[in-house]
Amino acid sequence: MGNWKNFILDLDGVLYLLNQPIPGGREFVDFLRTHRYGVAFLSNNTFLTREEYVEKLGKMGIKAFPEEILTSAFAVAKYLGETRPGARVYVIGEDGLKKELKNCGLRPVLRGKADFVVVGMDRKFNFRKMSQALRYIQDGAEFIGTNPDPTYPTDNGLLPGAGAIIAGIETCSGKKARVFGKPSPLILDLLLEARGFRKEETVIVGDRLDTDIALGACCGVFSVLVLTGVTSRQDVEISQVKPDLVVENLFELRRVLAGE
Ligand SMILES: [Mg+2]
């Protein structure tokens, strides 16, 4: 533990469930700041912009800064903005994704030519959008996905996630999307570089084995699974993907760090 200098925290299932703060989250982030750990927040979710996440966390008493937050929407926008400034993008997604793309200088298009088709979670996804994406991809647009999550948790159970929409377009186009969100190393590399974190000094904390923990495992970053989200101890036992440490909640992780 002596080497740990930075913490990458997942949001949903770690600091809150939808809009409900998870006990221990605020205290844990305070502890990290007091002891001068590097902090970053990493979410596959694309509904909100980084500024809106700062606001959401702030309402829960958790202090965060936009530059500490990386979503899969911002990762895609930053990458495209830097490698293909001003590119035309056909977007299937919601406001958070569209705003981040615009903020990074990309030009969303509805007709005409597109250089990229960017696909994320879209609760108004339909056959017309799917057909349009297919047309653009056939015409040579590069196919980018925000995140591979098959589902998205809500108060009323699961909804289909971005991964399901991406898979539909992969099926009709016969092309694989380049997907940025966890567990893709693309998003971790962007984060480490942006925050100046070194892998061997960094810990990733999350509630999902297939995204957070898989990312840590594939990139050689120490991973901590918290049981406050979608994963139970039984899930861990039968999973191929194993976290380096399992804790009940962030109170427990804070005690581990404090050496109590
Ligand atoms: Mg989560």
Side-chain angles (χ1 to χ4, degrees):
M1 265 164 255
N3 263 346
W4 294 353
K5 291 197 173 136
N6 313 303
F7 280 78
I8 299 174
L9 306 175
D10 173 42
L11 295 176
D12 227 302
V14 175
L15 295 177
Y16 53 73
L17 283 168
L18 293 174
N19 295 311
Q20 210 49 41
I22 295 175
R26 179 174 54 76
E27 293 83 350
F28 185 71
V29 175
D30 283 348
F31 178 90
L32 294 180
R33 299 221 186 267
T34 306
H35 293 84
R36 308 216 168 274
Y37 286 98
V39 179
F41 304 91
L42 177 61
S43 175
N44 269 1
N45 203 313
T46 58
F47 291 145
L48 303 180
T49 63
R50 296 186 304 158
E51 290 72 16
E52 289 164 338
Y53 277 112
V54 167
E55 212 181 304
K56 177 167 180 168
L57 289 167
K59 283 185 190 149
M60 299 175 186
I62 298 170
K63 195 166 181 182
F65 302 91
E67 61 274 17
E68 294 175 333
I69 297 178
L70 190 63
T71 66
S72 66
F74 179 67
V76 167
K78 181 176 154 68
Y79 176 82
L80 294 183
E82 283 171 5
T83 54
R84 293 286 299 279
R88 293 159 301 185
V89 184
Y90 178 67
V91 189
I92 292 178
E94 301 193 13
D95 275 356
L97 176 60
K98 287 178 185 161
K99 281 189 210 160
E100 293 290 22
L101 288 164
K102 275 191 200 155
N103 291 344
C104 288
L106 296 145
R107 286 182 292 158
V109 295
L110 292 172
R111 56 188 73 79
K113 289 214 174 302
D115 306 299
F116 295 94
V117 169
V118 175
V119 182
M121 170 72 158
D122 185 341
R123 284 168 290 187
K124 294 198 173 124
F125 180 61
N126 59 28
F127 193 77
R128 184 185 55 75
K129 291 183 182 182
M130 194 180 203
S131 309
Q132 185 75 324
L134 169 62
R135 227 166 284 139
Y136 277 130
I137 293 166
Q138 279 181 325
D139 287 347
E142 204 180 315
F143 181 15
I144 306 272
T146 54
N147 58 300
D149 301 52
T151 55
Y152 176 76
T154 74
D155 289 339
N156 295 318
L158 294 176
L159 289 180
I165 299 176
I166 294 167
I169 298 170
E170 286 181 337
T171 299
C172 64
S173 68
K175 288 262 173 12
K176 276 269 169 218
R178 186 165 184 213
V179 180
F180 276 67
K182 299 177 275 188
S184 165
L186 289 168
I187 199 164
L188 186 71
D189 289 343
L190 280 170
L191 188 149
L192 294 174
E193 202 202 312
R195 302 288 296 131
F197 292 175
R198 292 175 49 180
K199 247 183 212 182
E200 46 296 0
E201 298 171 341
T202 301
V203 178
I204 184 163
V205 183
D207 70 315
R208 284 193 82 107
L209 292 164
D210 56 353
T211 54
D212 308 302
I213 305 307
L215 178 61
C218 84
C219 297
V221 170
F222 193 94
S223 64
V224 178
L225 180 82
V226 283
L227 299 173
T228 46
V230 299
T231 308
S232 67
R233 274 193 205 275
Q234 293 88 300
D235 295 331
V236 180
E237 275 162 31
I238 57 169
S239 168
Q240 301 280 326
V241 183
K242 301 284 185 197
D244 295 302
L245 179 69
V246 181
V247 293
E248 282 298 324
N249 51 45
L250 290 177
F251 284 124
E252 188 181 340
L253 186 55
R254 189 177 66 162
R255 285 196 295 274
V256 172
L257 280 182
E260 286 168 14

